[in-house]
Amino acid sequence: MREYQKEAIRTTLRYLLSGKYANLRELARENFDANEELQQRYGSWTGMERHLQLPDQLSCSIDQATGTARVSCSMG
């Protein structure tokens, strides 16, 4: 496993286990408020919120390059 893959897993585990966010909606809202590109793309928080697949759960997906494993996790 390469270092960038390990770091992606570490980052995901910090998100899931830190207790900072109760669900995906909280993380997404924080990112929307801090990111002008997201604001331009979705126009409003409501516009972005409609695209959240599991807003009431802590969930994530780590997509690696072809030929490597895909990791999905959900806590909820």
Side-chain angles (χ1 to χ4, degrees):
M1 184 175 284
R2 296 184 179 175
E3 190 57 37
Y4 68 88
Q5 293 168 313
K6 292 177 187 177
E7 187 56 32
I9 293 168
R10 286 185 203 109
T11 299
T12 302
L13 288 173
R14 281 193 298 271
Y15 158 64
L16 289 173
L17 303 175
S18 72
K20 183 174 180 180
Y21 305 102
N23 54 44
L24 179 62
R25 182 179 284 113
E26 288 183 10
L27 173 64
R29 182 62 194 243
E30 181 179 300
N31 279 289
F32 180 83
D33 290 343
N35 188 316
E36 288 183 29
E37 288 183 39
L38 289 176
Q39 293 168 16
Q40 290 175 3
R41 179 176 181 169
Y42 294 104
S44 67
W45 164 243
T46 303
M48 181 172 162
E49 188 176 26
R50 280 190 293 246
H51 288 86
L52 299 178
Q53 294 181 1
L54 300 169
D56 297 320
Q57 296 182 20
L58 284 177
S59 61
C60 63
S61 174
I62 303 172
D63 297 317
Q64 301 289 332
T66 303
T68 62
R70 178 181 176 160
V71 178
S72 294
C73 32
S74 180
M75 298 177 71

Coordinates of all heavy atoms in Angstrom, one line a residue:
M1 N 0.8 -1.2 0.0 CA 0.0 0.0 0.0 C 0.9 1.2 0.0 O 1.9 1.3 0.7 CB -0.9 0.0 1.2 CG -1.9 1.1 1.3 SD -3.0 1.0 2.7 CE -4.1 -0.2 2.1
R2 N 0.5 2.2 -0.8 CA 1.3 3.4 -0.9 C 1.0 4.4 0.2 O -0.1 4.4 0.7 CB 1.1 4.0 -2.3 CG 1.6 3.1 -3.4 CD 1.5 3.7 -4.7 NE 2.0 2.8 -5.7 CZ 2.0 2.9 -7.0 NH1 1.5 4.0 -7.5 NH2 2.5 2.0 -7.8
E3 N 1.9 5.4 0.4 CA 1.7 6.3 1.5 C 0.4 7.2 1.3 O -0.3 7.4 2.3 CB 2.9 7.2 1.6 CG 2.9 8.1 2.9 CD 2.8 7.2 4.2 OE1 3.4 6.1 4.3 OE2 2.1 7.7 5.1
Y4 N 0.1 7.6 0.1 CA -1.1 8.4 -0.1 C -2.4 7.6 0.2 O -3.4 8.2 0.6 CB -1.1 9.0 -1.5 CG -1.3 8.1 -2.6 CD1 -2.6 7.7 -3.1 CD2 -0.3 7.5 -3.3 CE1 -2.8 6.8 -4.1 CE2 -0.4 6.6 -4.4 CZ -1.7 6.3 -4.7 OH -1.9 5.4 -5.8
Q5 N -2.3 6.3 0.0 CA -3.5 5.5 0.3 C -3.6 5.3 1.8 O -4.7 5.4 2.3 CB -3.3 4.1 -0.3 CG -3.3 4.1 -1.8 CD -2.9 2.8 -2.4 OE1 -1.9 2.2 -2.1 NE2 -3.7 2.3 -3.4
K6 N -2.5 5.2 2.5 CA -2.6 5.1 3.9 C -3.1 6.4 4.5 O -3.9 6.4 5.5 CB -1.2 4.8 4.5 CG -0.7 3.4 4.2 CD 0.8 3.3 4.7 CE 1.4 2.0 4.3 NZ 2.8 1.9 4.7
E7 N -2.7 7.6 3.9 CA -3.1 8.9 4.4 C -4.6 9.1 4.2 O -5.3 9.6 5.0 CB -2.3 10.0 3.8 CG -2.6 11.4 4.4 CD -2.4 11.4 5.9 OE1 -1.5 10.7 6.5 OE2 -3.1 12.2 6.5
A8 N -5.1 8.6 3.1 CA -6.5 8.7 2.8 C -7.3 7.9 3.9 O -8.4 8.4 4.4 CB -6.9 8.1 1.4
I9 N -6.8 6.7 4.2 CA -7.5 5.9 5.3 C -7.4 6.6 6.6 O -8.4 6.6 7.4 CB -6.9 4.5 5.3 CG1 -7.3 3.8 4.0 CG2 -7.4 3.7 6.5 CD1 -6.5 2.5 3.7
R10 N -6.3 7.2 6.9 CA -6.1 7.9 8.2 C -7.1 9.1 8.3 O -7.7 9.3 9.4 CB -4.7 8.4 8.4 CG -3.7 7.3 8.7 CD -2.3 7.9 9.0 NE -1.3 6.9 8.8 CZ -0.4 6.9 7.8 NH1 -0.4 7.9 6.9 NH2 0.5 6.0 7.7
T11 N -7.2 9.8 7.2 CA -8.0 11.0 7.2 C -9.5 10.5 7.4 O -10.2 11.2 8.2 CB -7.9 11.7 5.9 OG1 -6.5 12.2 5.8 CG2 -8.8 12.9 5.8
T12 N -9.9 9.5 6.8 CA -11.2 9.0 6.9 C -11.5 8.5 8.3 O -12.6 8.8 8.9 CB -11.4 7.8 5.9 OG1 -11.2 8.3 4.6 CG2 -12.8 7.3 6.0
L13 N -10.6 7.8 8.9 CA -10.7 7.3 10.3 C -10.9 8.5 11.3 O -11.7 8.5 12.2 CB -9.6 6.4 10.7 CG -9.7 5.0 10.0 CD1 -8.4 4.2 10.4 CD2 -10.9 4.3 10.4
R14 N -10.1 9.6 11.0 CA -10.2 10.8 11.9 C -11.6 11.4 11.8 O -12.2 11.7 12.8 CB -9.2 11.8 11.5 CG -7.8 11.5 12.1 CD -6.8 12.7 12.0 NE -6.6 13.1 10.6 CZ -5.6 12.7 9.8 NH1 -4.8 11.8 10.3 NH2 -5.5 13.1 8.6
Y15 N -12.1 11.4 10.6 CA -13.5 11.9 10.4 C -14.5 11.0 11.1 O -15.4 11.5 11.8 CB -13.8 12.0 8.9 CG -15.2 12.0 8.5 CD1 -16.1 13.0 8.9 CD2 -15.8 10.9 7.8 CE1 -17.4 13.0 8.5 CE2 -17.1 10.9 7.4 CZ -17.9 12.0 7.8 OH -19.2 12.0 7.4
L16 N -14.4 9.7 11.0 CA -15.4 8.8 11.5 C -15.3 8.7 13.1 O -16.3 8.6 13.7 CB -15.3 7.4 10.9 CG -15.7 7.3 9.5 CD1 -15.3 5.9 9.0 CD2 -17.2 7.5 9.3
L17 N -14.1 8.8 13.6 CA -13.9 8.5 15.0 C -13.7 9.7 15.9 O -13.7 9.5 17.1 CB -12.7 7.5 15.2 CG -12.9 6.2 14.4 CD1 -11.6 5.3 14.5 CD2 -14.1 5.4 14.9
S18 N -13.5 10.9 15.4 CA -13.2 12.0 16.2 C -14.3 12.5 17.0 O -14.1 13.2 18.0 CB -12.7 13.2 15.3 OG -13.8 13.7 14.5
G19 N -15.5 12.3 16.6 CA -16.7 12.8 17.4 C -17.0 14.3 17.0 O -17.9 14.9 17.6
K20 N -16.2 14.9 16.1 CA -16.5 16.3 15.7 C -17.8 16.5 15.0 O -18.4 17.5 15.1 CB -15.3 16.8 14.9 CG -15.4 18.2 14.5 CD -14.2 18.7 13.8 CE -14.3 20.2 13.4 NZ -13.2 20.7 12.7
Y21 N -18.2 15.5 14.2 CA -19.4 15.6 13.4 C -20.3 14.5 13.8 O -20.0 13.3 13.9 CB -19.0 15.4 11.9 CG -18.0 16.4 11.4 CD1 -16.7 16.0 11.2 CD2 -18.3 17.8 11.2 CE1 -15.7 16.9 10.8 CE2 -17.4 18.7 10.8 CZ -16.1 18.3 10.6 OH -15.2 19.2 10.2
A22 N -21.6 14.8 13.9 CA -22.6 13.9 14.2 C -23.1 13.1 13.0 O -23.6 12.0 13.0 CB -23.8 14.5 14.9
N23 N -23.0 13.8 11.8 CA -23.4 13.2 10.6 C -22.8 13.9 9.4 O -22.1 14.9 9.6 CB -24.9 13.3 10.5 CG -25.5 14.7 10.7 OD1 -25.0 15.6 10.1 ND2 -26.5 14.8 11.5
L24 N -23.0 13.4 8.2 CA -22.4 14.0 7.0 C -22.9 15.4 6.7 O -22.2 16.2 6.2 CB -22.8 13.1 5.8 CG -22.3 13.5 4.4 CD1 -20.8 13.5 4.4 CD2 -22.8 12.6 3.4
R25 N -24.2 15.7 7.1 CA -24.7 17.0 6.9 C -23.9 18.1 7.6 O -23.6 19.1 7.0 CB -26.2 17.1 7.4 CG -26.8 18.4 7.2 CD -28.3 18.4 7.7 NE -29.1 17.7 6.7 CZ -29.7 16.6 7.0 NH1 -29.6 16.0 8.2 NH2 -30.5 16.0 6.1
E26 N -23.4 17.8 8.8 CA -22.6 18.8 9.5 C -21.3 19.1 8.8 O -20.9 20.2 8.7 CB -22.3 18.3 11.0 CG -23.5 18.4 11.9 CD -23.2 17.9 13.3 OE1 -22.0 17.8 13.6 OE2 -24.2 17.7 14.1
L27 N -20.6 18.0 8.4 CA -19.4 18.2 7.6 C -19.6 18.9 6.3 O -18.8 19.8 6.0 CB -18.7 16.8 7.4 CG -17.5 16.8 6.5 CD1 -16.3 17.5 7.1 CD2 -17.1 15.4 6.1
A28 N -20.6 18.5 5.6 CA -20.9 19.2 4.3 C -21.2 20.6 4.5 O -20.8 21.5 3.7 CB -22.1 18.5 3.6
R29 N -22.0 21.0 5.6 CA -22.3 22.4 5.8 C -21.0 23.2 6.1 O -20.9 24.3 5.6 CB -23.3 22.5 7.0 CG -23.7 23.9 7.3 CD -24.4 24.5 6.0 NE -24.6 25.9 6.1 CZ -25.8 26.5 6.1 NH1 -26.9 25.9 6.1 NH2 -25.8 27.9 6.2
E30 N -20.2 22.7 6.9 CA -18.9 23.3 7.2 C -18.1 23.6 6.0 O -17.6 24.7 5.8 CB -18.1 22.5 8.2 CG -16.8 23.1 8.6 CD -16.0 22.3 9.6 OE1 -16.6 22.0 10.7 OE2 -14.9 21.9 9.3
N31 N -18.0 22.6 5.1 CA -17.3 22.7 3.9 C -18.0 23.7 2.9 O -17.3 24.5 2.3 CB -17.1 21.4 3.2 CG -16.0 20.6 3.8 OD1 -14.8 20.9 3.6 ND2 -16.3 19.6 4.5
F32 N -19.3 23.7 2.8 CA -20.0 24.6 2.0 C -19.8 26.0 2.4 O -19.5 26.9 1.6 CB -21.5 24.3 2.0 CG -22.3 25.2 1.1 CD1 -22.4 25.0 -0.2 CD2 -22.9 26.3 1.7 CE1 -23.1 25.9 -1.0 CE2 -23.7 27.2 0.9 CZ -23.8 27.0 -0.4
D33 N -19.8 26.3 3.7 CA -19.7 27.7 4.2 C -18.2 28.2 4.0 O -18.1 29.4 3.8 CB -20.0 27.7 5.7 CG -21.5 27.5 6.0 OD1 -22.3 27.7 5.1 OD2 -21.8 27.2 7.2
A34 N -17.3 27.3 3.9 CA -15.9 27.7 3.8 C -15.3 27.7 2.3 O -14.2 28.1 2.1 CB -15.0 26.8 4.7
N35 N -16.2 27.2 1.4 CA -15.6 26.9 0.0 C -16.5 27.6 -1.0 O -17.6 27.3 -1.3 CB -15.7 25.4 -0.2 CG -15.0 25.0 -1.5 OD1 -15.2 25.6 -2.5 ND2 -14.2 23.9 -1.4
E36 N -15.9 28.7 -1.6 CA -16.6 29.5 -2.6 C -16.9 28.6 -3.8 O -18.0 28.9 -4.5 CB -15.7 30.7 -3.0 CG -15.7 31.7 -1.9 CD -14.9 33.0 -2.4 OE1 -14.9 33.3 -3.6 OE2 -14.3 33.6 -1.5
E37 N -16.1 27.7 -4.2 CA -16.4 26.9 -5.4 C -17.7 26.0 -5.2 O -18.5 25.9 -6.1 CB -15.2 25.9 -5.7 CG -14.0 26.7 -6.3 CD -12.9 25.7 -6.7 OE1 -13.2 24.6 -7.2 OE2 -11.8 26.1 -6.4
L38 N -17.8 25.5 -4.0 CA -19.1 24.8 -3.7 C -20.3 25.7 -3.7 O -21.3 25.4 -4.2 CB -19.0 24.1 -2.3 CG -18.1 22.9 -2.2 CD1 -18.0 22.4 -0.7 CD2 -18.5 21.8 -3.1
Q39 N -20.1 26.9 -3.2 CA -21.2 27.9 -3.2 C -21.6 28.3 -4.6 O -22.8 28.4 -4.9 CB -20.8 29.1 -2.4 CG -20.6 28.8 -0.9 CD -19.9 30.0 -0.1 OE1 -19.8 31.1 -0.6 NE2 -19.4 29.7 1.0
Q40 N -20.6 28.4 -5.5 CA -20.9 28.8 -6.8 C -21.6 27.6 -7.6 O -22.5 27.7 -8.3 CB -19.7 29.2 -7.6 CG -19.1 30.5 -7.1 CD -17.8 30.9 -7.8 OE1 -17.3 30.1 -8.6 NE2 -17.2 32.0 -7.4
R41 N -21.1 26.4 -7.3 CA -21.6 25.2 -8.0 C -23.1 24.9 -7.6 O -23.9 24.6 -8.5 CB -20.8 24.0 -7.7 CG -21.3 22.7 -8.3 CD -20.4 21.6 -8.1 NE -20.9 20.4 -8.7 CZ -20.3 19.3 -8.9 NH1 -19.1 19.1 -8.5 NH2 -20.9 18.3 -9.5
Y42 N -23.4 25.0 -6.3 CA -24.7 24.6 -5.9 C -25.7 25.8 -5.6 O -26.9 25.6 -5.5 CB -24.6 23.8 -4.6 CG -24.0 22.5 -4.8 CD1 -22.7 22.2 -4.4 CD2 -24.7 21.4 -5.5 CE1 -22.1 21.0 -4.7 CE2 -24.1 20.2 -5.7 CZ -22.8 20.0 -5.3 OH -22.1 18.8 -5.5
G43 N -25.1 27.0 -5.6 CA -25.9 28.2 -5.4 C -26.4 28.5 -4.0 O -26.5 29.7 -3.6
S44 N -26.7 27.5 -3.3 CA -27.2 27.6 -1.9 C -26.9 26.4 -1.1 O -26.7 25.3 -1.7 CB -28.7 27.9 -1.9 OG -29.4 26.8 -2.3
W45 N -27.0 26.5 0.2 CA -26.8 25.3 1.0 C -27.9 24.2 0.7 O -27.6 23.1 0.6 CB -26.8 25.6 2.5 CG -27.1 24.4 3.4 CD1 -28.1 24.2 4.2 CD2 -26.2 23.3 3.5 NE1 -28.0 23.0 4.8 CE2 -26.8 22.4 4.3 CE3 -25.0 22.9 2.9 CZ2 -26.3 21.1 4.7 CZ3 -24.5 21.7 3.2 CH2 -25.1 20.8 4.1
T46 N -29.1 24.7 0.5 CA -30.2 23.8 0.1 C -29.9 23.0 -1.2 O -30.2 21.8 -1.3 CB -31.5 24.5 0.0 OG1 -31.8 25.2 1.2 CG2 -32.7 23.6 -0.3
G47 N -29.3 23.7 -2.1 CA -29.0 23.1 -3.4 C -27.9 22.0 -3.2 O -28.0 20.9 -3.8
M48 N -27.0 22.2 -2.3 CA -26.0 21.2 -2.1 C -26.6 20.1 -1.2 O -26.3 18.9 -1.4 CB -24.7 21.8 -1.4 CG -23.7 20.8 -1.1 SD -22.2 21.5 -0.5 CE -21.3 20.1 0.2
E49 N -27.3 20.4 -0.2 CA -27.9 19.4 0.7 C -28.7 18.4 0.0 O -28.7 17.2 0.4 CB -28.7 20.2 1.8 CG -29.2 19.3 2.9 CD -30.0 20.0 3.9 OE1 -30.6 21.1 3.6 OE2 -30.0 19.6 5.1
R50 N -29.4 18.8 -1.1 CA -30.2 17.8 -1.9 C -29.3 16.7 -2.5 O -29.9 15.7 -2.8 CB -30.9 18.5 -3.0 CG -32.2 19.3 -2.6 CD -32.9 19.7 -3.8 NE -32.2 20.7 -4.5 CZ -32.6 22.0 -4.6 NH1 -33.7 22.4 -4.1 NH2 -31.9 22.9 -5.3
H51 N -28.0 17.0 -2.7 CA -27.1 16.0 -3.3 C -26.5 15.0 -2.3 O -25.8 14.1 -2.7 CB -26.1 16.7 -4.1 CG -26.6 17.3 -5.4 ND1 -27.2 18.6 -5.4 CD2 -26.7 16.8 -6.6 CE1 -27.6 18.8 -6.6 NE2 -27.3 17.8 -7.4
L52 N -26.7 15.2 -1.0 CA -26.1 14.4 0.0 C -26.8 13.0 0.0 O -28.0 13.0 0.2 CB -26.2 15.0 1.4 CG -25.4 16.3 1.5 CD1 -25.6 16.9 3.0 CD2 -24.0 16.2 1.2
Q53 N -26.1 11.9 -0.1 CA -26.7 10.6 -0.2 C -27.1 10.1 1.1 O -28.2 9.4 1.2 CB -25.8 9.7 -0.9 CG -25.6 10.0 -2.4 CD -24.7 9.1 -3.1 OE1 -24.2 8.1 -2.5 NE2 -24.4 9.4 -4.4
L54 N -26.3 10.2 2.1 CA -26.7 9.7 3.5 C -26.5 10.8 4.5 O -25.6 10.8 5.4 CB -25.8 8.5 3.8 CG -25.9 7.3 2.9 CD1 -24.7 6.3 3.2 CD2 -27.2 6.7 3.0
P55 N -27.3 11.9 4.5 CA -27.0 13.1 5.3 C -27.1 12.9 6.8 O -26.4 13.6 7.5 CB -28.1 14.1 4.8 CG -29.2 13.2 4.3 CD -28.5 12.0 3.7
D56 N -27.8 11.9 7.2 CA -28.0 11.7 8.6 C -27.1 10.6 9.2 O -27.2 10.2 10.4 CB -29.5 11.3 8.9 CG -30.4 12.5 8.6 OD1 -30.0 13.6 8.8 OD2 -31.5 12.2 8.0
Q57 N -26.1 10.2 8.5 CA -25.1 9.2 8.9 C -23.7 9.7 8.7 O -23.5 10.6 7.9 CB -25.3 7.9 8.1 CG -26.6 7.2 8.3 CD -26.7 5.9 7.6 OE1 -25.6 5.3 7.2 NE2 -27.8 5.4 7.3
L58 N -22.8 9.2 9.5 CA -21.4 9.4 9.2 C -21.1 8.4 8.1 O -21.2 7.2 8.4 CB -20.5 9.1 10.4 CG -20.5 10.2 11.4 CD1 -19.7 9.8 12.6 CD2 -20.0 11.5 10.9
S59 N -20.7 8.8 6.9 CA -20.5 7.8 5.9 C -19.3 8.4 5.0 O -19.1 9.6 5.0 CB -21.7 7.6 5.0 OG -22.1 8.8 4.4
C60 N -18.7 7.5 4.3 CA -17.5 7.9 3.5 C -17.3 6.8 2.4 O -17.7 5.7 2.5 CB -16.3 8.2 4.3 SG -15.7 6.7 5.1
S61 N -16.5 7.2 1.4 CA -16.1 6.3 0.4 C -14.6 6.7 0.0 O -14.4 7.9 -0.2 CB -17.0 6.4 -0.8 OG -16.5 5.6 -1.8
I62 N -13.7 5.8 0.0 CA -12.4 6.1 -0.5 C -12.2 5.4 -1.8 O -12.2 4.2 -1.9 CB -11.3 5.6 0.5 CG1 -11.6 6.1 1.9 CG2 -9.9 5.9 0.0 CD1 -10.7 5.5 3.0
D63 N -12.1 6.1 -2.9 CA -12.0 5.6 -4.2 C -10.5 5.7 -4.6 O -9.9 6.7 -4.7 CB -12.8 6.3 -5.2 CG -14.3 6.2 -4.9 OD1 -14.7 5.1 -4.6 OD2 -15.0 7.2 -5.0
Q64 N -9.9 4.5 -4.8 CA -8.5 4.4 -5.2 C -8.4 4.2 -6.7 O -9.4 3.9 -7.3 CB -7.8 3.3 -4.4 CG -7.9 3.5 -2.9 CD -7.0 4.6 -2.3 OE1 -6.0 4.9 -2.9 NE2 -7.4 5.1 -1.2
A65 N -7.2 4.2 -7.2 CA -7.0 4.0 -8.6 C -7.4 2.6 -9.0 O -7.4 1.7 -8.1 CB -5.5 4.3 -8.9
T66 N -7.6 2.4 -10.3 CA -7.9 1.1 -10.8 C -6.9 0.1 -10.3 O -5.7 0.3 -10.3 CB -8.0 1.1 -12.3 OG1 -8.9 2.1 -12.7 CG2 -8.4 -0.2 -12.9
G67 N -7.4 -1.1 -9.9 CA -6.6 -2.2 -9.5 C -6.3 -2.2 -8.0 O -5.6 -3.0 -7.5
T68 N -6.8 -1.2 -7.3 CA -6.7 -1.2 -5.8 C -8.1 -1.4 -5.2 O -9.1 -1.3 -5.8 CB -6.1 0.1 -5.3 OG1 -7.0 1.2 -5.7 CG2 -4.7 0.4 -5.9
A69 N -8.1 -1.6 -3.9 CA -9.4 -1.8 -3.2 C -10.2 -0.6 -3.1 O -9.6 0.5 -3.0 CB -9.1 -2.4 -1.9
R70 N -11.5 -0.7 -3.0 CA -12.3 0.4 -2.7 C -12.8 0.2 -1.3 O -13.3 -0.9 -0.9 CB -13.5 0.4 -3.6 CG -14.5 1.6 -3.3 CD -15.6 1.6 -4.2 NE -16.5 2.7 -3.7 CZ -17.4 3.3 -4.4 NH1 -17.6 2.9 -5.6 NH2 -18.2 4.2 -3.9
V71 N -12.8 1.2 -0.5 CA -13.2 1.1 0.9 C -14.5 2.0 1.1 O -14.5 3.2 0.7 CB -12.1 1.7 1.9 CG1 -12.5 1.6 3.3 CG2 -10.8 0.9 1.6
S72 N -15.5 1.4 1.6 CA -16.7 2.2 2.0 C -17.0 1.9 3.4 O -16.8 0.8 3.9 CB -17.9 1.7 1.1 OG -17.7 2.0 -0.2
C73 N -17.5 2.9 4.1 CA -17.8 2.7 5.5 C -19.0 3.6 5.9 O -19.2 4.7 5.3 CB -16.6 3.1 6.4 SG -15.5 4.3 5.8
S74 N -19.7 3.2 6.8 CA -20.9 3.9 7.3 C -21.1 3.6 8.8 O -21.0 2.5 9.2 CB -22.1 3.5 6.5 OG -23.2 4.2 6.9
M75 N -21.3 4.7 9.5 CA -21.7 4.5 10.9 C -23.0 5.2 11.2 O -23.1 6.3 10.8 CB -20.6 5.1 11.8 CG -19.2 4.4 11.6 SD -17.9 5.2 12.6 CE -18.4 4.7 14.2
G76 N -23.9 4.6 11.8 CA -25.1 5.3 11.9 C -26.2 5.0 12.7 O -27.1 5.5 12.9

